[in-house]
Every structure is written in C-alpha cells, then in structure tokens.
Amino acid sequence: FTRKLMFMKEASAVALLPGGFGTQDEGFEALTLIQTGKAPLVPIVMLEQPGGTYWLQWRAYVKSELLGSGMINPEDMSLFCITDSIEAAVAEVTRFYRVYHSMRFVGDDLVLRLERPVGPATLDRLNAEFAGILVGGQIEQCAALPAEGGEWPDKPRLKLRFDRKSFAALRRLIDVVNLDGATA
C-alpha cells in the first residue's frame, strides 16, 4: 500500500511495460486513482515491445468486459496510451506538459496552472466542448489565487467550477490546452 501510494504521489507520468500481477495491479491502481480524482492527472503510457500483443490484448479485455458492460465510460479509454515506440511514449509525456503544468482545487474552483496563457480561440473551444463538466460559470483565465498560498505565482491559470467526477473529460480538456498554438 505505502509503495503504491508513494508511487502515485510523486509520479509525473506512469510507464508500464508487460509484466505480471504487480504490473496489472499498479496499472489498474493508477487508472483508478486518476479516474476517481484521488490522484492528479498524469500521462499513463503502456509500452509494448515492437510486434507485441500484451497491451493490445489488455485493451481488448478492458473494452470488451469493462466498457462493454458499462463498468467504465467511453471517455475512460482516453486515460492511457498504448504504443510500441519509445519515441511515441516520450512524445506522449512531453505533449502532456507542453502547456499544462499542474492542478489544484481552491475552494469550489479547479485551477489548472499553465506554462503560458491559452489563446482566445482555445478558450472559446474549451467552453464550448467542456461545458458539461462544469457545475456553473465558464472556464476563465486568471492569475494565481491568494488561497493557493504562493504556489507557482508566475504561472497563468485556467479556473473552472469542475464537477469533480469527469476526470477522463478533464484529461481531454488538458489535451486541448496542450494543442494551443501547436502547428503540428
């Protein structure tokens, strides 16, 4: 328990390679903690050996049994990435932090800290596509909030009244934020 707790508490990303019960346990634990908001969103990459089927078979099981029987939502499938390329795995992690930095709940608001502000078109897109995860108001850009206690004071923020349950959709929102200004 302590090892898994510290594993997720300190992780900026999770990379899983084919393995036994421990790998499955840690992978499902990471997914569960992120899906339920008990751990911060981080990229989860399942790295397959070239031509391998370990994670592809795992995804087929998850899709057939968990998604197929309604035990998870379709959006939950976006919480992980499967690849057989080390370069693609590295790109998945670096892309996740391209604009997004970190998040924190401040009272009723979720604050997403960013490396730079997003453009007006991206902000409009976020409000149009992700209104369903808000319990009120809109997604707004803001400066550091006093209640954050001085954490990362120079980083721009997005502030939203998040429903505290749609973490897979929040992951997709972060993906859109990270696309802001991307040319490729």
Side-chain angles (χ1 to χ4, degrees):
F1 169 79
T2 304
R3 182 178 61 80
K4 286 195 301 185
L5 177 68
M6 295 310 294
F7 171 69
M8 285 306 298
K9 180 182 180 296
E10 300 299 327
S12 296
V14 174
L16 298 165
L17 284 75
F21 290 137
T23 298
Q24 294 288 317
D25 180 48
E26 289 171 354
F28 275 119
E29 183 78 14
L31 286 165
T32 301
L33 291 172
I34 288 171
Q35 177 204 41
T36 59
K38 304 293 188 242
L41 287 167
V42 297
I44 298 175
V45 180
M46 297 167 174
L47 186 58
E48 186 71 75
Q49 59 184 322
T53 62
Y54 184 92
W55 292 117
L56 300 177
Q57 292 293 329
W58 177 87
R59 179 174 51 202
Y61 160 77
V62 169
K63 191 173 183 182
S64 169
E65 297 299 324
L66 303 182
L67 181 60
S69 62
M71 293 180 187
I72 63 171
N73 295 318
E75 287 185 328
D76 293 331
M77 299 297 286
S78 68
L79 292 174
F80 61 89
C81 166
I82 296 175
T83 184
D84 66 357
S85 161
I86 292 172
E87 294 79 14
V90 170
E92 174 71 12
V93 173
T94 56
R95 187 173 36 250
F96 184 81
Y97 293 106
R98 183 176 180 269
V99 177
Y100 172 79
H101 179 272
S102 59
M103 66 183 219
R104 178 178 175 184
F105 285 98
V106 179
D108 292 334
D109 294 316
L110 174 61
V111 175
L112 302 179
R113 299 178 187 116
L114 309 176
E115 296 296 340
R116 60 175 173 73
V118 297
T122 298
L123 189 58
D124 289 344
R125 179 179 175 191
L126 295 175
N127 277 301
E129 287 185 29
F130 297 99
I133 68 170
L134 304 179
V135 294
Q138 289 196 321
I139 301 169
E140 304 171 347
Q141 295 206 68
C142 67
L145 302 178
E148 288 183 84
E151 292 178 327
W152 307 104
D154 298 331
K155 297 216 177 282
R157 271 103 160 124
L158 291 176
K159 180 176 73 164
L160 55 142
R161 291 280 165 103
F162 179 58
D163 66 13
R164 294 182 185 243
K165 64 181 179 182
S166 303
F167 288 94
L170 182 62
R171 166 59 202 256
R172 287 189 312 100
L173 181 148
I174 290 170
D175 290 342
V176 171
V177 166
N178 287 322
L179 288 173
D180 181 69
T183 56

